[in-house]
Amino acid sequence: MPKNNPARRNRSATRATLSLVHDVEAPELPGTREWHPQTTSWWADIWASPMAPEFDDSDQHGLFALAVLVDDFWMADKASVRASLSAEIRLQRQCFGLTPIDRRRLQWEIERGEDAEERSQKRKAAAKKAAQEERDEAVDPRSLLQAVQ
């Protein structure tokens, strides 16, 4: 396909800037079991996260299945069971952008507020100043040279 073909685009259909503020309410976890406190905390966190508005109603089924895996992980009493569940959880959560690398793959960016930008600028300025001070204090190797007669 020629480069000048306007039909060819390298845009991602999933690219989005996610807002920290939203009004998505977490659906109730199914009442079919007594959920581990870590699972209920995880459930609340993902629905309060900036990713929640991206979840479609059809995603809830996958998130419920993932919640069962997370709950089984916390309830497991054998390391081998936890290791197996951990691998499956890692695979399933990729679909929902629940980790930084998953969000990067989906090209989701979390909106940065003014405070975050200001902290970032201060941190960069402090690092730049420290590097400059280090260069200023460094001994110039040419100052050690002496003329030999």
Side-chain angles (χ1 to χ4, degrees):
M1 195 179 287
K3 279 188 171 184
N4 61 359
N5 183 346
R8 184 176 182 183
R9 303 242 192 301
N10 291 334
R11 278 189 266 164
S12 171
T14 62
R15 179 181 295 259
T17 300
L18 310 179
S19 176
L20 294 169
V21 180
H22 62 79
D23 59 356
V24 176
E25 290 187 33
E28 291 289 322
L29 283 166
T32 56
R33 66 192 315 166
E34 179 138 350
W35 297 92
H36 191 282
Q38 288 282 23
T39 306
T40 57
S41 176
W42 169 83
W43 187 254
D45 288 346
I46 64 168
W47 287 97
S49 74
M51 288 73 71
E54 297 298 313
F55 302 149
D56 188 83
D57 288 343
S58 63
D59 291 331
Q60 287 185 21
H61 305 290
L63 287 166
F64 286 142
L66 181 54
V68 170
L69 292 170
V70 169
D71 200 54
D72 289 346
F73 174 88
W74 290 114
M75 298 288 203
D77 53 356
K78 290 185 179 179
S80 61
V81 173
R82 283 192 301 276
S84 175
L85 286 165
S86 180
E88 187 60 28
I89 290 167
R90 184 178 62 250
L91 286 173
Q92 295 302 317
R93 74 178 178 205
Q94 289 177 358
C95 304
F96 303 105
L98 299 181
T99 67
I101 193 72
D102 300 334
R103 288 188 291 278
R104 178 167 228 146
R105 187 179 303 112
L106 291 166
Q107 296 185 355
W108 288 356
E109 270 186 52
I110 296 176
E111 184 177 61
R112 297 185 185 265
E114 291 176 14
D115 290 340
E117 185 66 30
E118 186 178 318
R119 284 193 307 271
S120 178
Q121 287 177 352
K122 284 182 182 178
R123 189 173 52 249
K124 287 177 184 176
K128 188 175 181 179
K129 182 179 177 184
Q132 183 62 44
E133 288 173 356
E134 190 175 306
R135 282 192 299 272
D136 291 347
E137 292 175 7
V139 176
D140 184 354
R142 294 174 293 182
S143 68
L144 301 176
L145 297 175
Q146 296 178 355
V148 178
Q149 292 181 350

